[in-house]
Amino acid sequence: MPGVATNDPNTSTGEDGQLALGVEDARRAVRAAKARKPKVDAQAARLPVARVVVDKGLVHLDRLFDYSVPAKLADVAQPGVRVRVRFGAKVVDGRRRGGGLIDGVIVERVERSTYGGPLAPLAGVVSPEIVLAPAMIELARAVADRYAGSLADIVQLALPARHARAEAEPSGQPLPRPAPPAPGPWARYPAGAAHLAALAGGESPRTVWTALPGPHWPDEIARALAATLAAGRGALAVVPDAKSVERVDAALTALLGPGRHVALTAGLGPEERYRRWLAINRGTVRAVVGTRAAMFAPVVELGLALVWNDGDDSHADPNAPYPHVREVLAMRAAREHAAFTVGGHATTVEAAQLVRTGWARPLHADRPAVRAAAPLVRTVGSDLDLARDEGARTARLPSLAWDVARNALRSGPVLVQVPRRGYLVRTSCQRCREPARCAHCSGPLQLPSGDGVLTCGWCTRPAPNWHCRVCGGDRIRAGVIGARRTAEELGRAFPTVPVRTSGRDAILTTVPDLPALIIATPGAEPVAPSGYAAALLLDGWALLTRPDLRAGEEALRRWLDAASLVRPAGEGGTLVVVAESTLRPVQALVRWDPQGYALAELVERAELNLPPVSRMASVTGPAAGIADFLAVLRLPDRVDVLGPVPVAPTAPRTPPRTPPPAKPDPRAAETRAELTRALFGDTPPPTPAPASRPAPPVLHERVLLRIEPGRGAELAHALKAAQTLRLARAAPDPVQIRIDPPDIG
């Protein structure tokens, strides 16, 4: 091939010249690639610092920690991704010293750090999947501040455990919007159809929904979620337990078909739960129904946040800082401009307060619809007017309850609600009626079975040779009868009828429409397809006499939930409650008026300045810890301090053992020293000498702190500051802080 003349000394002619040109093109491509590489470095230089929330849920570490972003991680180390960092490492002469790898999530990338020293780099990015959007970070921060907790605590509650195989799978494409659903059972409410139309139109109503008795509430929740999907927005419903999730899940599938929603429960397993969570986070599905942890589900464009049966104690998280589903969803709805619904057969005082302040509007049926859907309610006093029949006398049933059960068993199952599980839940001396107590920890003694041995309900130690500490007697009597003992007695009274139990050990979901006695504890009642022919609510005094501010409210809620499973009065459904008929909760049950009861309770609490009219916090712990906490606490003005008063300690389930001596942790020492300098300057407070050995049992106390509404953030801030101060001093005797405690005695 002829060559081409050129003045470029880097080129040649002929075939060798063509080869040289190809080599030079390759060199230019390499130089161009190298020229593009500084763009990554430039990004790292522009935002070289990652602010990370680390997986350390300690209050005194409630801050973001700054790390430098290596150039190789600049593209993937984005806000919201999981990372690995070295926590507690020091940089000496440009090299990292010490520190262990822990998990964290990047909150933001910034230009510079407020920390004066050299920054440790990110150790690695676990996954490029963005799992914490800015809106969820803001919500987590707000929830942590409201409950005097740390951001890391809330992030741990919000994020499920990662599963690499589920993360590698595609989540698919979202389905198109469904058509707005028909009102269906919502037509029974005067404002029901309008409520669905508002959701389908993209509006954000806030409602307190008092549901009619009967089996229709799962379908009503499904239609509310479907109406929100029809507007192109996401919907979230949180229910108390997996049994309720199954019912709403079935209703959503029947209404919308598969693929438009997911159900989140703890029983799914880590991989499947994470797979479904990713489908929500990626926007593949826009409707979610789940239990408590689903309150943080990252629904895209949330349009409806609904909580069902908000008075159930399972809606309060048992882990610090103890957030409640109702409050978290109300915060989400307000921040994301979504609709909010709190619903149930009963109305909590907190829900009534939302209506009273005008933040939400009531949504309930009129009286004729209530009477048509509710069973006939009959009451009988607690004097146990036994029937003449020997079987009824054996079963400890009043004659009215025995007759109702006998007649109802001819047409279907009968539900018997017992307040406690077990056999003999509380025992006492047969001679002097003194409660039977454990000789080791003073806990209540229980009898697990008819042929078992007395066992402590706190420390689980057996007490085979128990004697009364007052009169010396050695025979016991029943204080509170459990579900197993009730089933045994009813089996003798109705020998030809099957008897089944449902409780924490084994919960039945459904029972057939056949004659049977179903003994269940509150919350574990199975569903009968056609409804129960009758229901007996035994030992009402055990619920009403609990030393709790919410005893009456909780008793009414449990009764209404059980009564809603009974057939309407027009179909022969009858409910018998064994409790004094003149009491306010019993009268509210007879009239089926949960709204009136909640409003009356709210008026009384307003007169006494009790929650939810006021905001309250409890601080519980050893007496020495409470005294030290109050000494460092700096409360805002006009805070009522109630107590401290003695409380029963939470006893361990296993005998205590002496832990091995802990190795000194230099990271903890550095953190304490840094916080001490920040809080106290150059004159740190004296560190108390460690106690030689705590003497069991330790006296526990509780103090209640009350502040007027609208100032709860001030109280939470003061409590968090005092807790941080004690942790910085490594003070002994830790205390527990709980905002808006559900069990005020």
Side-chain angles (χ1 to χ4, degrees), residues 457-721:
W458 288 356
C459 67
T460 70
R461 284 180 168 84
N465 300 317
W466 173 85
H467 287 78
C468 178
R469 67 182 67 182
V470 175
C471 68
D474 59 355
R475 301 189 64 182
I476 62 168
R477 68 184 299 271
V480 177
I481 304 299
R484 286 202 297 270
R485 173 65 179 270
T486 303
E488 179 182 299
E489 294 179 346
L490 289 176
R492 290 196 297 264
F494 299 93
T496 61
V497 178
V499 179
R500 304 181 67 184
T501 60
S502 179
R504 190 176 69 176
D505 298 334
I507 297 179
L508 302 176
T509 303
T510 59
V511 293
D513 288 326
L514 299 174
L517 286 168
I518 310 300
I519 317 300
T521 53
E525 301 92 349
V527 177
S530 300
Y532 288 97
L536 311 179
L537 308 180
L538 302 184
D539 298 334
W541 61 269
L543 294 176
L544 295 172
T545 58
R546 293 186 306 123
D548 192 341
L549 179 66
R550 302 174 183 270
E553 176 187 340
E554 178 67 5
L556 179 60
R557 183 188 68 82
R558 294 181 176 185
W559 291 341
L560 289 172
D561 287 345
S564 66
L565 302 174
V566 183
R567 301 168 187 172
E571 300 177 13
T574 305
L575 177 78
V576 177
V577 54
V578 182
E580 180 57 48
S581 61
T582 59
L583 297 177
R584 185 190 297 171
V586 181
Q587 284 297 307
L589 176 64
V590 173
R591 298 192 306 270
W592 205 279
D593 185 21
Q595 309 102 299
Y597 178 84
L599 289 174
E601 282 283 301
L602 187 61
V603 170
E604 284 193 359
R605 295 192 192 182
E607 294 175 353
L608 301 174
N609 197 22
L610 292 174
V613 178
S614 63
R615 294 291 303 280
M616 187 171 282
S618 68
V619 183
T620 309
I626 294 294
D628 180 64
F629 185 88
L630 293 177
V632 300
L633 180 62
R634 298 294 179 265
L635 288 172
D637 297 334
R638 301 191 303 278
V639 175
D640 297 329
V641 180
L642 311 175
V645 296
V647 295
T650 302
R653 289 293 181 184
T654 57
R657 60 182 180 88
T658 303
K663 297 180 179 180
D665 188 351
R667 293 173 300 162
E670 291 174 12
T671 303
R672 285 196 297 269
E674 179 185 346
L675 287 172
T676 302
R677 286 193 299 270
L679 292 169
F680 304 104
D682 297 330
T683 58
T687 302
S692 58
R693 199 170 190 179
V698 179
L699 175 64
H700 278 60
E701 293 181 341
R702 181 175 71 172
V703 60
L704 297 176
L705 305 169
R706 181 173 59 190
I707 195 169
E708 59 193 5
R711 299 180 61 206
E714 299 178 41
L715 179 59
H717 179 75
L719 293 171
K720 185 175 180 179

Side-chain angles (χ1 to χ4, degrees), residues 161-494:
R162 177 178 178 264
H163 200 284
R165 183 167 54 191
E167 193 171 88
E169 299 173 359
S171 296
Q173 297 297 322
L175 297 176
R177 301 182 188 180
W186 281 107
R188 303 179 298 166
Y189 304 84
H195 178 64
L196 285 190
L199 294 176
E203 300 179 27
S204 301
R206 299 169 179 170
T207 57
V208 173
W209 166 39
T210 305
L212 284 168
H216 302 292
W217 63 266
D219 187 30
E220 291 164 346
I221 292 178
R223 291 177 186 274
L225 269 61
T228 308
L229 293 180
R233 302 197 295 174
L236 169 62
V238 182
V239 296
D241 47 44
K243 182 178 63 175
S244 302
V245 171
E246 291 177 4
R247 297 183 66 183
V248 179
D249 180 35
L252 279 167
T253 303
L255 184 64
L256 298 175
R260 294 187 185 273
H261 77 282
V262 294
L264 292 179
T265 60
L268 292 173
E271 181 177 359
E272 180 60 25
R273 181 177 177 84
Y274 190 55
R275 182 179 290 109
R276 298 187 183 188
W277 187 91
L278 286 173
I280 303 166
N281 191 50
R282 295 168 178 173
T284 301
V285 294
R286 307 286 290 275
V288 182
V289 56
T291 48
R292 181 181 59 239
M295 62 181 165
F296 292 108
V299 179
V300 177
E301 296 182 23
L302 183 66
L304 170 64
L306 184 149
V307 52
W308 170 258
N309 203 357
D310 64 305
D312 195 293
D313 55 6
S314 63
H315 282 309
D317 200 288
N319 301 309
Y322 316 106
H324 195 283
V325 170
R326 178 187 55 245
E327 308 304 326
V328 172
L329 291 188
M331 295 172 68
R332 287 193 69 175
R335 300 175 74 88
E336 302 182 42
H337 307 288
F340 174 75
T341 297
V342 51
H345 295 115
T347 303
T348 61
V349 179
E350 287 78 10
Q353 174 75 347
L354 296 179
V355 175
R356 180 174 176 268
T357 58
W359 194 86
R361 301 185 63 181
L363 178 60
H364 52 78
D366 52 22
R367 295 307 301 174
V370 173
R371 286 193 291 268
L376 174 65
V377 180
R378 305 181 67 178
T379 65
V380 60
S382 57
D383 57 352
L384 296 181
D385 180 20
L386 297 179
R388 300 175 184 175
D389 189 282
E390 185 63 28
R393 185 176 295 108
T394 304
R396 303 178 300 105
L397 287 180
S399 57
L400 173 63
W402 195 90
D403 290 338
V404 167
R406 182 184 57 184
N407 295 330
L409 285 171
R410 299 170 183 169
S411 58
V414 172
L415 174 66
V416 181
Q417 187 192 73
V418 182
R420 299 287 189 273
R421 64 186 182 91
Y423 195 77
L424 296 186
V425 183
R426 291 292 184 269
T427 58
S428 59
C429 176
Q430 188 177 40
R431 184 187 300 170
C432 68
R433 303 300 193 261
E434 176 71 13
R437 295 284 181 180
C438 175
H440 176 77
C441 69
S442 299
L445 293 181
Q446 304 174 354
L447 191 63
S449 62
D451 55 354
V453 178
L454 283 174
T455 304
C456 179
W458 288 356
C459 67
T460 70
R461 284 180 168 84
N465 300 317
W466 173 85
H467 287 78
C468 178
R469 67 182 67 182
V470 175
C471 68
D474 59 355
R475 301 189 64 182
I476 62 168
R477 68 184 299 271
V480 177
I481 304 299
R484 286 202 297 270
R485 173 65 179 270
T486 303
E488 179 182 299
E489 294 179 346
L490 289 176
R492 290 196 297 264
F494 299 93

